[in-house]
Amino acid sequence: MENKRKSLFKRIISISLAVFFVLSFTLLIFATVSLKNNKASLFGHHLYYVTTKSMEPDIHKGSFVIAKITDTEELKVGDVISFVSRDPDIAGMINTHNIDKISYDTNGKPVFTTKGSNNPTADKYPVYPEDIRGRVVYDSLFIGKVFKAVSNKWVSFCITVLPILVIVLVNFIDLVKVINFFPDDDVKKEKNINSQKGGN
């Protein structure tokens, strides 16, 4: 009974470590890809890290946000969107602001005016449909800290390599025990056979 409990405990530990490794590795890979390529998406969602206080107190600096890919026709004033900024100071970088106004150019193409919750005035540069990465559907400061942490090489080492080493070590120890167990068992069987022959 005790051996069964130990076996079950080891199995639970191994499975837990494996699940933890897979989830951590997935987050690490996607975090790395997202930082290098703002077009990367996961199941129709983009993951971003907020680096300024422009959206406080609604979204804090350092927060993790999920922007769902949304048809621009569904967007409305007040929605929070993540988009590629046309501002020369941060051109090409992702910005996350509220939609302050929606207008249309001469061709009927929507033009979005955005504004940070913490900013006194609207953004100077317009946002076009092709700039928008998605509507923000979730934000978390805690996950943002985790998101930033996994980008650190030492943290990524701890959450990816160490679990593998632990799993390998646990299985190696079990293998050694198995190897050591069977020879002893064979010796016992041989002694029993010899004793039975001697008795006859």
Side-chain angles (χ1 to χ4, degrees), residues 5-21:
R5 287 181 179 178
K6 288 182 179 180
S7 178
L8 179 61
F9 179 73
K10 287 181 180 179
R11 188 176 299 176
I12 292 174
I13 292 298
S14 296
I15 293 175
S16 298
L17 287 172
V19 171
F20 177 76
F21 163 71

Side-chain angles (χ1 to χ4, degrees), residues 63-96:
S63 292
F64 165 92
V65 298
I66 298 178
K68 181 181 180 180
I69 298 175
T70 306
D71 191 323
T72 53
E73 293 181 359
E74 298 179 15
L75 298 175
K76 59 184 182 299
V77 173
D79 284 342
V80 180
I81 58 173
S82 290
F83 57 93
V84 179
S85 178
R86 291 175 180 264
D87 186 334
D89 293 334
I90 55 173
M93 296 179 65
I94 292 295
N95 202 356
T96 298

Side-chain angles (χ1 to χ4, degrees), residues 54-55 83 96-100 113-123:
S54 65
M55 283 298 291
F83 57 93
T96 298
H97 279 175
N98 298 298
I99 295 178
D100 190 58
T113 300
T114 54
K115 178 182 177 297
S117 301
N118 197 34
N119 294 343
T121 59
D123 300 333

Side-chain angles (χ1 to χ4, degrees), residues 44-171:
H45 294 76
H46 295 284
L47 313 182
Y48 297 120
Y49 179 72
V50 178
T51 59
T52 71
K53 296 182 178 181
S54 65
M55 283 298 291
E56 291 188 347
D58 299 324
I59 300 177
H60 294 282
K61 177 183 178 181
S63 292
F64 165 92
V65 298
I66 298 178
K68 181 181 180 180
I69 298 175
T70 306
D71 191 323
T72 53
E73 293 181 359
E74 298 179 15
L75 298 175
K76 59 184 182 299
V77 173
D79 284 342
V80 180
I81 58 173
S82 290
F83 57 93
V84 179
S85 178
R86 291 175 180 264
D87 186 334
D89 293 334
I90 55 173
M93 296 179 65
I94 292 295
N95 202 356
T96 298
H97 279 175
N98 298 298
I99 295 178
D100 190 58
K101 179 183 177 183
I102 302 177
S103 55
Y104 297 86
D105 63 15
T106 53
N107 296 318
K109 182 179 181 179
V111 180
F112 300 87
T113 300
T114 54
K115 178 182 177 297
S117 301
N118 197 34
N119 294 343
T121 59
D123 300 333
K124 295 180 180 179
Y125 300 90
V127 177
Y128 296 96
E130 61 268 25
D131 303 326
I132 299 174
R133 292 291 174 261
R135 177 171 55 198
V136 174
V137 294
Y138 178 79
D139 68 271
S140 171
L141 181 58
F142 172 75
I143 298 180
K145 292 180 179 179
V146 175
F147 186 85
K148 185 177 182 180
V150 297
S151 300
N152 181 283
K153 62 180 181 180
W154 294 112
V155 174
S156 64
F157 173 82
C158 290
I159 65 176
T160 55
V161 178
L162 287 185
I164 294 177
L165 293 178
V166 172
I167 293 172
V168 170
L169 181 60
V170 169
N171 284 283

